[in-house]
């Protein structure tokens, strides 16, 4: 194969191939009598390996280290690994298409696209002008998007379990109490009773479908906490802590 042929086969540019030669990542192949490079299947496998590793975010120096570890492996072993990698990509593409199909079936809103499960949950929630309720809605949309927007698996189960709670008009009174703490300090005496009432309002059915390790005030949970003013943050922190204890008690 010539440089243009191997580049087209692997899905990179001839310029990229030359760059890999220049930095010593891809060894120079033997040349024909006319001076043209003559690439082999092993060259193509190595180039494909470089492309896969850079696509998943490795730097060229990191790619070099990985390739050094691969030195001396049998060609059939490397080909088998590449085939497994392609199979993984096929599965990921199928999953992404499933997610896309689910999004296309869901109602399109100004917040969307939403997963079908979250769209149904928000549609059934009573109308309210509560800023705290609006923030909860924003957080659900964010978590839905961060989870791929599919609403599948545990996400769909959580949304379904939340439906009775979201549709309960009594929840609006809890949001109202949370709104009243918008300008309060973290030592406000209303914090403890409100946190207890909010945690008590979450049904066991919801906890039963929460993935192991959630809720937790780490990672995304910490970022969401930082979105609240001091008193409200303390309420939400206590609710998350209480729910985590209930989840732990359910699984222990």
């Amino acid at each position: 194969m010539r440089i243009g042929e191997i580049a087209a086969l692997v899905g990179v540019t001839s310029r990229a191939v030359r760059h890999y030669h220049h930095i010593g990542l891809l060894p120079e192949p033997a040349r024909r009598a006319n001076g043209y490079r003559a690439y082999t299947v092993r060259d193509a496998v190595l180039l494909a390996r470089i492309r896969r590793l850079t696509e998943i975010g490795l730097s060229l120096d990191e790619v070099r280290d990985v390739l050094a570890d691969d030195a001396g492996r049998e060609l059939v072993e490397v080909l088998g690994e590449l085939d497994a990698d392609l199979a993984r990509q096929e599965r990921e593409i199928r999953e992404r298409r499933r997610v896309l199909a689910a999004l296309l079936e869901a109602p399109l809103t100004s917040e969307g696209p939403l997963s079908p499960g979250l769209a149904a949950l928000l549609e059934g929630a009573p109308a309210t002008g509560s800023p705290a309720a609006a923030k909860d809605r924003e957080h659900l949309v964010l978590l839905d998007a961060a989870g791929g927007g599919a609403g599948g698996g545990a996400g769909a189960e959580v949304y379904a379990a939340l439906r009775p709670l979201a549709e309960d008009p009594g929840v609006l009174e809890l949001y109202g109490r949370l709104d009243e703490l918008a300008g309060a300090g973290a030592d406000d005496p209303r914090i403890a009773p409100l946190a207890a009432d909010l945690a008590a309002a979450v049904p066991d059915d919801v906890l039963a479908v929460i993935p192991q390790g959630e809720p937790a005030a780490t990672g995304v949970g910490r970022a969401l906490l930082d979105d609240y003013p001091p008193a409200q943050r303390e309420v939400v922190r206590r609710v998350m802590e209480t729910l985590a204890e209930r989840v732990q008690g359910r699984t222990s």
Side-chain angles (χ1 to χ4, degrees):
M1 289 179 288
R2 294 174 61 174
I3 190 168
E5 294 170 330
I6 190 175
L9 176 64
V10 175
V12 298
T13 64
S14 297
R15 182 177 181 180
V17 178
R18 293 190 183 94
H19 178 63
Y20 296 151
H21 285 318
H22 178 69
I23 63 175
L25 196 58
L26 183 66
E28 283 279 354
R31 291 181 179 264
R32 297 190 178 96
N34 58 10
Y36 288 120
R37 295 181 179 94
Y39 293 94
T40 65
V41 171
R42 179 171 285 278
D43 294 320
V45 169
L46 180 56
L47 182 57
R49 182 80 165 139
I50 294 171
R51 178 192 171 190
R52 298 279 182 250
L53 293 171
T54 56
E55 282 179 344
I56 63 175
L58 270 66
S59 69
L60 292 180
D61 284 340
E62 291 171 328
V63 171
R64 191 188 309 277
D65 292 339
V66 173
L67 296 180
D69 291 338
D70 283 348
R73 295 170 63 195
E74 293 294 329
L75 177 59
V76 66
E77 184 181 355
V78 178
L79 286 173
E81 183 176 303
L82 284 173
D83 183 64
D85 185 51
L86 287 172
R88 175 190 57 77
Q89 291 186 60
E90 286 179 342
R91 291 192 298 271
E92 291 177 353
I93 290 173
R94 285 196 297 270
E95 175 60 18
R96 289 166 65 184
R97 292 194 66 192
R98 186 191 69 78
V99 169
L100 179 60
L103 293 176
L104 290 173
E105 291 176 359
L108 294 179
T109 69
S110 59
E111 301 164 317
L114 305 176
S115 70
L118 181 57
L121 174 66
L122 297 182
E123 184 179 1
T128 175
S130 164
K135 190 180 294 290
D136 253 6
R137 188 181 183 106
E138 290 175 355
H139 290 171
L140 282 172
V141 171
L142 172 61
L143 292 172
D144 191 60
E157 294 177 347
V158 172
Y159 296 148
L162 281 172
R163 286 286 293 276
L165 178 63
E167 295 171 358
D168 182 1
V171 173
L172 297 183
E173 185 267 337
L174 295 175
Y175 275 129
R177 290 166 61 189
L178 190 58
D179 289 331
E180 292 171 359
L181 289 174
D187 58 349
D188 192 285
R190 294 170 292 178
I191 290 175
L194 176 55
D197 290 346
L198 281 168
V202 178
D204 289 337
D205 289 346
V206 174
L207 299 183
V209 293
I210 290 179
Q212 185 66 29
E214 296 292 343
T218 58
V220 174
R222 184 177 295 118
L224 297 184
L225 277 176
D226 290 342
D227 197 30
Y228 290 95
Q232 292 182 343
R233 183 187 308 128
E234 180 61 16
V235 170
V236 177
R237 187 194 67 78
R238 293 189 184 201
V239 170
M240 294 172 67
E241 186 177 80
T242 300
L243 295 183
E245 291 173 356
R246 286 173 57 186
V247 170
Q248 183 61 35
R250 175 176 54 82
T251 57
S252 61

